[in-house]
């Protein structure tokens, strides 16, 4: 009875409303049920935009942490049947946060809104919703049956001169009468955050529930205090600690106290380490800094009174990356004993980083010291800087795959500038906002996984090329390209350039077309590094076609086909072959390929004219060209590849001749985001019903995009000319 009366006096109450709301409660979001999981469609009724924003909303979007490194980005929505829609995925398991926006035009500010029928989930961001994607790698963020409890603690603050609140998590099986008081972890939020964000975006309850139930953390109480004050010592030491210790069965012994925070909250925790040395035996800094100097005498006091000091920070996109580097250096020079978790290469100054920081820190407090080094895969803390503005070609790509885009000063008066590129999940195209610099340039820095990319700047709705990127794309003058080296992804492994001596040659082959006026056209031709024009046996030859709106340069300029071929050849995955990438626009392609392209290739290169040693493949429109050639000329090309394909087997097709003359017919498709997905399924059904022998490759996650087609090519090449 005494404990209950004390709790009531201090304002402790069950805080059911503090539990993060289920993402399913936003009826505007739905997972699309198809062969690729975790693809989501956002659907905003057109009728809901004006009541929510006061504008008609000619530009409607969903914004969220969907870009690489969980960078905040924008997905434009398209008008369809009385709704605005956008589809993205597959999303990697984890927590996403998002909002909807509308603007009258690109040059005007966006107004954010949420589904009014969904609960407000984030106290400090009233227009945000969350979406939790369950799955491998996010088990530690998932709900736990019979987990701990959340309660609200209200107390009188002598600093604020008013009542203040904190959020308290108690572990599963919490016993308010346990003989041994529980150790306690105090947490402080960053500036601009609410202390409730620890559960709303940090998923603290799920993290601590999983750790405690799994036996990976000491059962403890966690107090999420409100650090929105300039007098943190008075607020925490004089007000929050006594109130929490009176309301909960927690220890008042410094050995059983820990404190950590984010950004400003981390700086506050570190300042208490210096100004209230001995009050907390465990201190964590998540993207923090420390203004005070630490002398050697103070360092000795800290070392004597503190069991654990551990520093956390995101990658170089974290605004507090260099301050954390400086903090580590300050501690080292003073002799303060501390641990560094290094730099998290995946994410920057976001809740995705701080979730991982909390997960690591909670396993270390009140425990016997174990491994004191950084988490697996984390990078050492080293100062980071970018080239001086306007001095070098862009984008800048560091050794860890962090990419920085920069405009010139010509957009200094713009209101809204983004980078539009294939950086989204599975190669989708979000528009990621850039930040205006003091000199009028705009800049964006984000981590990008290994692979090849294409992008452009969009300035208030108008496309612009990156003028300092020397790459060009003939079919899309505003595009630029770049490549992030690395073998940790399939596209990275096969688009990273091989050593110069291992590269094949890429030449231009001119030929006379069957098009009206018999114009001269061009094709790119790749020959292997050891190509021998006089070899007795002609080389097998692969004719590779582009898609609609593209031309003969795209497989080289955007598809990075030369690098893919070089890598396959260097690995010994493919037989020596010649690859011809010609122009398929505006012609009867079966005539063009059989009468002009192959004829010229055979005249200029040592390639075979035997159908068994010829292959033909293409993407989208090029797949239509490929299949129409197969139907009209069975046996002319024994190996056929169709990417993002469509069509039906013609009624007059000679199926027996097609099967007899074809050694491989393999079809590829993106997922439901690929607008030819349904047409590809129709094609597969047609071939099955007509008895055309074929292979349907596993669906490749992604839209109608080069990511899908590159992976298709990577898969197809080793299958060619294998007997």
């Amino acid at each position: 009875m005494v404990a209950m009366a004390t709790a009531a006096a201090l304002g402790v109450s069950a805080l059911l409303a503090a539990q993060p709301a289920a993402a399913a409660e936003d009826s505007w979001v739905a997972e699309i049920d198809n062969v690729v999981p975790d693809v989501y469609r956002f659907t905003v009724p057109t009728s809901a935009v004006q009541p929510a924003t006061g504008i008609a909303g000619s530009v409607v979007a969903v914004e969220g942490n969907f870009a690489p490194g969980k960078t905040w980005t924008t997905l434009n929505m398209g008008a369809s049947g009385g709704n605005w829609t956008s589809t993205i995925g597959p999303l990697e398991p984890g927590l996403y946060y998002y909002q909807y926006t509308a603007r009258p035009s690109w040059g005007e500010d966006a107004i954010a809104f949420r589904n009014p029928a969904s609960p407000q989930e984030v106290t400090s961001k009233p227009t945000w919703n969350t979406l939790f994607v369950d799955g491998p790698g996010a088990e530690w963020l998932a709900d736990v049956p019979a987990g701990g409890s959340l309660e609200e603690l209200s107390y009188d603050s002598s600093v604020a001169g008013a009542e203040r609140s904190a959020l308290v998590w108690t572990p599963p099986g919490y016993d308010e009468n346990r003989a041994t008081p529980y150790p306690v972890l105090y947490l402080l939020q960053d500036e601009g955050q609410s202390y409730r964000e620890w559960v709303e975006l940090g998923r603290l309850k799920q993290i601590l529930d999983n750790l405690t139930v799994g036996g990976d953390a000491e059962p403890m109480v966690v107090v999420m205090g409100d650090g929105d004050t300039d007098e943190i010592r008075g607020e925490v030491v004089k007000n929050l600690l006594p109130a929490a210790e009176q309301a909960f069965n927690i220890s008042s012994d410094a050995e059983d106290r820990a404190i950590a925070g984010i950004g400003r909250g981390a700086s506050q925790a570190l300042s208490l380490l210096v100004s209230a040395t001995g009050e907390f035996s465990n201190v964590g800094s998540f993207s923090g800094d420390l203004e005070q100097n630490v002398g050697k005498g103070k360092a000795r006091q800290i070392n004597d009174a503190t069991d654990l000091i551990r520093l956390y920070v995101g990658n170089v996109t974290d605004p507090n990356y260099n301050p954390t580097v400086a903090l580590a250096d300050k501690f080292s020079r003073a002799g303060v004993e501390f641990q560094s978790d290094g730099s998290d290469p995946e994410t920057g100054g976001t809740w995705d980083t701080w979730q991982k920081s909390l997960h690591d820190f909670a396993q270390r407090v009140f425990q016997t010291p174990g491994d004191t080094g950084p988490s697996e895969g984390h990078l050492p803390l080293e100062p980071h800087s970018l080239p001086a503005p306007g001095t070098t070609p862009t984008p800048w790509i560091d050794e860890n795959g962090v990419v920085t885009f920069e405009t010139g000063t010509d957009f200094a008066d713009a209101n809204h500038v983004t980078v539009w590129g294939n950086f989204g999940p599975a190669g989708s195209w979000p528009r990621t906002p850039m930040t205006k610099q003091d000199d009028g340039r705009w800049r964006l820095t984000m981590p990008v996984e290994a692979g090849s990319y294409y992008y452009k700047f969009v300035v208030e709705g108008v496309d612009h090329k990156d003028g300092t990127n020397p790459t060009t794309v003939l079919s899309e003058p505003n595009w630029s390209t770049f490549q992030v080296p690395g073998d940790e992804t399939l596209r990275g492994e096969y688009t990273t350039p091989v050593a110069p001596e291992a590269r094949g040659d890429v030449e231009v082959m001119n030929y006379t077309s069957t098009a009206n006026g018999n114009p001269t056209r061009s094709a790119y031709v790749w020959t292997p590094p050891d190509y021998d024009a006089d070899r007795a046996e002609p080389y097998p030859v692969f004719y590779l076609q582009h898609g609609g709106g593209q031309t003969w340069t795209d497989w080289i300029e955007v598809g990075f086909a030369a690098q893919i071929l070089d890598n396959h050849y260097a690995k010994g995955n493919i037989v020596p072959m010649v690859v011809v990438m010609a122009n398929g626009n505006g012609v009867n392609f079966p005539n063009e390929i059989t009468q002009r392209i192959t004829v010229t290739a055979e005249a200029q290169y040592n390639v075979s004219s035997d159908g068994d040693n010829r292959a033909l493949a293409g993407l989208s429109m090029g797949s239509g060209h490929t299949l129409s050639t197969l139907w009209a000329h069975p046996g002319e090309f024994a190996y056929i590849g169709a990417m993002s394909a469509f069509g039906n087997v013609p009624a007059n097709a000679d199926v027996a001749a097609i099967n007899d003359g074809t050694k491989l017919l393999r079809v590829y498709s993106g997922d439901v985001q690929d607008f030819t997905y349904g047409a590809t399924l129709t094609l597969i059904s047609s071939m099955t019903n007509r008895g055309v022998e074929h292979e349907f490759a596993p669906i490749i996650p992604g839209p109608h995009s080069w990511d899908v087609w590159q992976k298709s090519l990577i898969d197809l090449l080793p299958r060619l000319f294998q007997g």
Side-chain angles (χ1 to χ4, degrees), residues 208-529:
L208 269 296
D209 284 350
N210 276 284
L211 288 175
T212 305
V213 170
D216 296 316
E218 181 73 15
M220 69 184 82
V221 171
V222 181
V223 179
M224 293 152 269
D226 187 350
D228 188 13
T229 176
D230 293 330
E231 299 180 40
I232 196 63
R233 180 173 181 176
E235 183 64 26
V236 170
V237 176
K238 295 182 179 179
N239 294 319
L240 181 60
L241 266 63
E245 290 165 5
Q246 188 176 5
F248 294 90
N249 185 15
I250 57 177
S251 176
S252 60
D253 188 337
E255 286 293 316
D256 296 324
R257 283 188 194 145
I259 191 167
I262 299 166
R264 180 193 63 185
S267 299
Q268 291 170 332
L270 292 167
S271 71
L272 290 173
L273 173 70
V274 176
S275 65
T277 306
E279 290 287 350
F280 303 92
S281 64
N282 298 263
V283 178
S285 170
F286 304 170
S287 302
D289 191 9
L290 177 64
E291 293 184 359
Q292 296 104 309
N293 290 323
V294 181
K296 294 188 179 299
K298 172 56 72 171
R300 287 192 292 271
Q301 292 178 13
I302 291 172
N303 293 341
D304 289 342
T306 313
D307 296 329
L308 171 67
I309 302 170
R310 191 165 173 90
L311 310 185
Y312 300 85
V313 74
N315 57 34
V316 296
T317 68
D318 188 330
N320 273 332
Y321 175 83
N322 277 334
T324 298
V325 176
L327 172 62
D329 182 61
K330 177 184 291 188
F331 277 170
S332 295
R333 285 186 282 106
V336 175
E337 297 172 359
F338 71 99
Q339 300 174 10
S340 168
D341 195 50
S343 165
D344 185 338
E346 295 180 348
T347 48
T350 70
W351 271 110
D352 312 278
T353 297
W354 305 322
Q355 288 168 356
K356 290 177 279 186
S357 302
L358 176 62
H359 186 255
D360 180 87
F361 188 65
Q363 294 180 74
R364 296 174 180 276
V365 294
F366 318 124
Q367 303 264 31
T368 302
D371 178 17
T372 60
S375 298
E376 183 178 359
H378 282 204
L379 303 174
L381 293 179
E382 298 174 346
H384 181 267
S385 62
L386 295 171
T391 59
T392 61
T394 57
W396 305 316
I397 306 168
D398 75 11
E399 65 276 12
N400 299 311
V402 176
V403 179
T404 300
F405 304 90
E406 184 184 75
T407 73
T409 57
D410 40 342
F411 308 133
D413 295 330
N415 182 57
H416 187 254
V417 181
T418 64
V419 179
W420 189 10
N422 62 324
F423 314 124
S428 55
W429 304 280
R431 300 173 186 236
T432 307
M434 305 183 80
T435 302
K436 185 184 287 188
Q437 308 299 302
D438 292 340
D439 64 358
R441 301 173 193 271
W442 294 74
R443 184 177 288 177
L444 166 66
T445 300
M446 65 181 178
V448 177
E449 68 178 14
S452 66
Y453 298 91
Y454 49 102
Y455 70 98
K456 54 190 171 184
F457 297 141
V458 182
V459 182
E460 296 180 347
V462 179
D463 296 347
H464 292 268
K465 188 183 186 308
D466 182 351
T468 63
N469 185 326
T471 64
T472 60
V473 178
L474 179 63
S475 63
E476 293 280 353
N478 288 316
W479 283 4
S480 301
T481 64
F482 67 94
Q483 200 276 338
V484 177
D487 59 4
E488 62 270 23
T489 68
L490 182 69
R491 292 177 57 249
E493 179 181 359
Y494 283 94
T495 61
T496 296
V498 299
E501 63 274 12
R503 298 173 191 171
D505 289 331
V506 177
E507 301 174 336
V508 175
M509 179 187 83
N510 295 317
Y511 62 96
T512 303
S513 175
T514 61
N516 292 336
N518 297 320
T520 298
R521 289 192 166 188
S522 298
Y524 270 131
V525 179
W526 179 89
T527 53

Side-chain angles (χ1 to χ4, degrees), residues 145-199:
S149 299
L150 288 171
E151 298 178 273
E152 188 171 11
L153 169 66
S154 298
Y155 62 95
D156 292 329
S157 168
S158 60
V159 171
E163 186 178 84
R164 302 196 81 181
S165 297
L167 198 56
V168 181
W169 174 86
T170 53
Y174 170 73
D175 181 359
E176 64 181 15
N177 297 311
R178 195 176 81 164
T180 303
Y182 289 85
V184 56
L185 167 61
Y186 293 88
L187 295 174
L188 302 171
Q189 83 277 22
D190 196 4
E191 187 173 8
Q193 296 177 343
S194 161
Y195 61 90
R196 295 175 185 271
E197 281 190 38
W198 285 104
V199 296

Side-chain angles (χ1 to χ4, degrees), residues 50 96 120 166 232 284 298 408 413 420 452 468 497 549 626 636 684 686:
Q50 188 161 11
Y96 295 84
Q120 180 178 334
I232 196 63
K298 172 56 72 171
D413 295 330
W420 189 10
S452 66
T468 63
T626 297
E636 289 289 319
I684 294 298
S686 174

